[in-house]
């Protein structure tokens, strides 16, 4: 049995995902096989020839153990950690303000105030429900949203939430039921007077300014590790929207698609771009998958960083584009014209794999038969062994499985505790998704402090909701505008 080819990659961060043990270590782990402790296996099945060419004349060489040239990987990429901008943030509210600060909320408050004024002019009555929105009250509204996120009350109706018998007294401490419903109806995120002109070039104009500000803060507040995952998230929405997507394998099926780049180890959302249809990046000369991936990783172009993608993004031109900056790509790929036809049609038994190495582009293409009628191709520009190490999986399979779940895990965190509610307005749906992103990113930064390592995400959200509501609740207490029996004296005045 031939010994597996040894690699010398960077062991920082990667060792936790996929270790590269020596042959002696592999022999000592024969009884300790697992996804993170692979055991040595046989070489891949050999093709009858050595050199193959695709329809686009891309050349590939096949051998029992492809002699892969040394690929440089930077040792300066540490594990993902917050930047120096977050050193002064200690409380949940301070960490939350790193993403949604007072200037941003003041802008939302101003645009919402314009909508309130127009509604008040229509009814022509002096009703406290139609009063102007203040910054403290907007923070209290966010506190109510985060509170039902932690309590998982977002599926309840407004009447049940504010019911004296069935609801939580925390909600009534912030505002009345009618005021809450009115503010949810009036929330706006852009200037309605200039929206028509901006919609001609940007379908996302309703919330573009708020979105760009929050994403810019997400990029500046965290330095990701050596492994990035690019994938998609679907915000459930069935109302009217010109770029609403239908993805049958998603739980919601209909919704707004967000393309994200997350840290594969900590699941921090580093960058995101909304998908507004095929017109996204209309002046591009590359595919959509390559466009999204290159734009998402542009702020993190560091030599040695590896990007993991699925078959919607992966392509050989994308791998070449990343190699210009010293980055690498690992991902499943659909059959392309530049792939050798012999590789895609080679007879294999279930679970068997074959690999072809492209010396010109320094890429490995591996094909495995996963079902009787299905084959899976993986493209990799990382120096990984093609020997089987865990049953019928190779090191390339192990690396892909260990790093592909960055965005999926982040999506699960957002779905487990979400502040989204049923709405007919897609900008409000996007704002709910943006708030979920901010809370999860803020919690990841908050947990990097040793004293907060054991704090649960639910407690973090509840403490944050309490800090957001406290100034407005105290203001209502001073003006004696709270209902008897609410929690203002017990919770907020401490």
């Amino acid at each position: 049995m031939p010994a597996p080819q040894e690699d010398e990659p960077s062991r920082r961060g990667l060792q936790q995902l996929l270790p590269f043990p020596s042959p002696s270590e592999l022999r000592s782990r024969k009884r300790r096989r697992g996804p993170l402790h692979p055991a040595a296996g046989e070489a891949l099945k050999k093709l009858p020839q050595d050199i193959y060419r695709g329809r686009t004349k891309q050349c590939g060489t096949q051998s029992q153990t492809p002699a892969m040239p040394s690929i440089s990987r930077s040792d300066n990429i540490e594990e993902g950690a917050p930047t120096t901008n977050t050193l002064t943030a200690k409380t949940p509210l301070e960490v939350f303000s790193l993403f949604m600060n007072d200037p941003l909320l003041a802008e939302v408050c101003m645009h919402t105030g314009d909508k309130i004024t127009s509604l008040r002019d229509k009814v022509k009555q002096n009703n406290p429900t139609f009063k102007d929105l203040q910054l403290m009250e907007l923070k209290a509204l966010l506190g109510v949203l985060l509170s039902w996120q932690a309590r998982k009350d977002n599926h309840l109706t407004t009447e049940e939430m504010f019911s004296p018998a069935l609801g939580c007294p925390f909600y009534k401490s912030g505002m009345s039921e009618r005021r809450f419903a009115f503010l949810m109806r009036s929330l706006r995120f852009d200037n309605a007077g200039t929206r028509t002109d901006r919609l001609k070039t940007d379908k996302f104009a309703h919330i573009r300014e708020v979105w760009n500000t929050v994403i810019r803060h997400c990029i500046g507040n965290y330095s990701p590790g050596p492994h990035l995952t690019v994938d998609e998230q679907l915000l459930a929405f069935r109302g009217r929207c010109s770029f609403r997507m239908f993805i049958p394998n998603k739980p919601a099926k209909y919704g707004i698609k967000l393309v994200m780049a997350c840290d594969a180890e900590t699941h921090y959302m580093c960058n995101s771009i909304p998908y507004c249809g095929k017109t996204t990046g209309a002046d591009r000369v590359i595919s959509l998958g390559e466009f999204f991936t290159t734009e998402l990783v542009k702020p993190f172009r560091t030599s040695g960083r590896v990007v993991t993608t699925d078959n919607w993004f992966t392509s050989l031109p994308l791998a070449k584009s990343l190699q210009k900056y010293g980055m690498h790509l690992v991902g499943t790929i659909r059959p392309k014209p530049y792939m050798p036809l012999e590789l895609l049609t080679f007879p294999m038994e279930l679970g068997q794999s074959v690999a072809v190495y492209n010396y010109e582009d320094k890429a490995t293409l591996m094909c495995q038969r996963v079902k009787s009628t299905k084959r899976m191709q993986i493209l990799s520009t990382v120096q990984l062994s093609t020997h089987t190490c865990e049953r019928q999986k190779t090191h390339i399979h192990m690396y892909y499985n260990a790093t592909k779940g960055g965005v999926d895990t982040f999506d699960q965190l957002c779905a487990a505790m979400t502040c989204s509610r049923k709405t007919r307005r897609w900008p409000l749906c996007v704002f709910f998704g943006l708030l979920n992103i901010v809370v999860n990113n803020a919690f990841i930064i908050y947990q990097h402090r040793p004293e907060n390592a054991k704090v649960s995400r639910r407690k973090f959200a509840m403490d944050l909701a309490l800090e957001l509501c406290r100034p407005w609740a105290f203001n209502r207490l001073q003006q004696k505008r709270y209902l008897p029996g609410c929690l203002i004296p017990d919770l907020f005045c401490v």
Side-chain angles (χ1 to χ4, degrees):
M1 182 183 301
Q5 178 183 358
E6 290 197 51
D7 311 284
E8 292 297 334
S10 171
R11 293 182 179 270
R12 295 180 177 178
L14 183 63
Q15 190 172 7
Q16 299 177 359
L17 295 176
L18 183 67
F20 290 83
S22 62
S24 60
E25 292 175 341
L26 287 174
R27 287 192 294 269
S28 65
R29 293 179 179 178
K30 289 183 179 180
R31 298 183 180 180
R32 206 164 40 125
R33 298 183 181 182
L36 300 182
H37 301 282
E42 299 179 356
L44 299 186
K45 192 176 181 66
K46 184 174 176 59
L47 295 173
Q49 300 179 15
D50 287 336
I51 299 179
Y52 294 90
R53 296 180 184 273
R55 285 185 293 172
T56 57
K57 308 302 180 183
Q58 294 286 342
C59 182
T61 301
Q62 201 276 343
S63 62
Q64 286 281 34
T65 54
M68 303 181 186
S70 177
I71 300 177
S72 61
R73 285 210 253 177
S74 175
D75 293 333
N76 299 325
I77 305 179
E78 302 290 343
E79 296 182 5
T83 59
T84 56
N85 303 337
T86 66
L87 295 179
T88 58
K90 298 180 180 180
T91 65
L93 181 58
E94 291 176 348
V95 179
F96 178 82
S97 299
L98 295 173
F99 301 92
M100 287 190 173
N101 50 18
D102 286 351
L104 174 63
L105 297 180
E107 184 178 355
V108 176
C109 188
M110 178 185 64
H111 298 316
T112 305
D114 296 339
K115 181 64 177 180
I116 292 175
T117 302
S118 63
L119 294 176
R120 185 170 54 223
D121 295 340
K122 291 180 180 180
V123 297
K124 296 181 181 180
Q125 60 178 350
N126 188 13
N127 192 323
T129 304
F130 292 83
K131 65 182 180 180
D132 293 331
L133 179 64
Q134 301 180 24
L135 180 59
M136 283 195 303
E137 188 177 10
L138 178 59
K139 290 184 178 181
L141 177 64
L142 297 181
V144 173
L145 297 180
L146 297 181
S147 177
W148 81 39
Q149 178 188 30
R151 295 174 53 85
K152 300 183 180 181
D153 288 344
N154 57 318
H155 63 284
L156 299 179
T157 62
T158 308
E159 292 78 8
E160 291 176 327
M161 286 177 52
F162 288 86
S163 172
L166 303 176
C168 176
F170 181 88
Y171 304 139
K172 300 179 68 175
S173 302
M175 60 193 65
S176 64
E177 176 187 347
R178 294 187 62 184
R179 179 63 174 174
F180 172 79
F182 177 74
L183 290 180
M184 294 299 295
R185 173 191 175 188
S186 306
L187 271 180
R188 295 295 184 274
F189 312 100
D190 71 321
N191 187 357
T194 61
R195 182 184 302 161
T196 305
D197 297 335
R198 289 182 284 112
L199 281 175
K200 296 178 181 179
T201 57
D202 185 13
K203 296 181 180 180
F204 210 67
H206 296 76
I207 196 173
R208 174 65 69 179
E209 296 180 3
V210 176
W211 175 271
N212 289 344
T213 303
V214 174
I215 296 302
R216 185 170 63 252
H217 292 164
C218 292
I219 296 174
N221 292 332
Y222 195 84
S223 177
H227 317 287
L228 288 176
T229 306
V230 176
D231 208 343
E232 58 194 19
Q233 181 188 40
L234 190 70
L235 301 178
F237 183 74
R238 288 180 176 263
R240 289 187 177 182
C241 182
S242 61
F243 49 90
R244 186 187 63 178
M245 295 288 296
F246 171 70
I247 305 180
N249 60 347
K250 294 288 184 180
K253 291 185 172 48
Y254 291 91
I256 299 172
K257 179 179 174 180
L258 305 178
V259 187
M260 294 182 173
C262 293
D263 189 287
E265 296 181 76
T266 61
H267 315 303
Y268 180 93
M269 203 288 296
C270 302
N271 197 1
S272 180
I273 300 175
Y275 180 79
C276 299
K278 292 185 178 180
T279 58
T280 305
D283 55 342
R284 56 183 169 79
V285 293
I286 56 178
S287 64
L288 272 175
E290 183 178 352
F291 169 77
F292 278 113
T293 306
T294 52
E295 288 295 320
L296 288 172
V297 303
K298 185 180 295 185
F300 316 107
R301 286 174 177 172
T302 302
S303 179
R305 188 162 275 147
V306 184
V307 181
T308 304
T309 58
D310 64 5
N311 56 18
W312 192 80
F313 302 91
T314 311
S315 63
L316 189 59
L318 173 61
K320 295 180 180 179
S321 177
L322 294 178
Q323 285 177 341
K324 294 178 182 178
Y325 305 96
M327 302 179 68
H328 307 293
L329 177 70
V330 176
T332 55
I333 185 173
R334 299 171 182 174
K336 303 289 184 180
Y338 45 78
M339 292 183 182
L341 183 61
E342 294 85 351
L343 178 70
L344 303 178
T345 60
F346 184 73
M348 293 183 294
E349 297 180 2
L350 193 65
Q352 284 187 337
S353 303
V354 291
V356 172
Y357 185 74
N358 189 324
Y359 281 89
E360 181 181 356
D361 301 321
K362 299 180 180 179
T364 302
L365 177 62
M366 179 174 295
C367 181
Q368 183 185 32
R369 187 168 186 174
V370 294
K371 292 182 181 179
S372 58
T373 58
K374 182 180 179 180
R375 298 181 181 227
M376 179 184 65
Q377 297 81 227
I378 298 181
L379 180 68
S380 172
T381 61
V382 185
Q383 184 183 6
L384 297 173
S385 173
T386 57
H387 283 75
T388 58
C389 58
E390 179 64 25
R391 296 183 181 179
Q392 297 173 338
K393 297 179 182 179
T394 65
H395 281 87
I396 297 179
H397 291 98
M398 302 292 287
Y399 183 91
Y400 176 76
N401 292 339
T403 57
K404 70 177 181 179
V407 177
D408 292 337
T409 305
F410 182 83
D411 194 12
Q412 291 176 0
L413 293 174
C414 293
M417 283 178 50
T418 177
C419 63
S420 301
R421 280 181 71 85
K422 188 176 181 179
T423 178
R424 296 180 182 179
R425 297 193 295 121
W426 70 261
L428 190 58
C429 173
V430 174
F431 181 73
F432 289 149
L434 204 58
L435 200 58
N436 292 334
I437 291 173
V438 167
V439 172
N440 282 282
N441 282 359
F443 176 68
I444 292 172
I445 291 179
Y446 184 76
Q447 270 202 323
H448 268 81
R449 289 184 172 272
E451 62 272 16
N452 303 328
K454 296 184 179 180
V455 178
S456 65
R457 193 158 57 105
R458 184 179 184 276
K459 186 179 185 307
F460 171 81
M462 288 300 299
D463 292 344
L464 176 58
L466 194 65
E467 292 184 26
L468 286 170
C469 289
R470 181 177 287 119
W472 180 248
F474 184 76
N475 184 38
R476 297 184 69 199
L477 177 65
Q478 294 292 341
Q479 300 179 10
K480 298 182 179 180
R481 292 190 295 106
Y482 63 91
L483 299 176
C486 70
L487 299 182
I488 290 180
D490 300 331
L491 291 181
F492 297 103
C493 301
V494 293

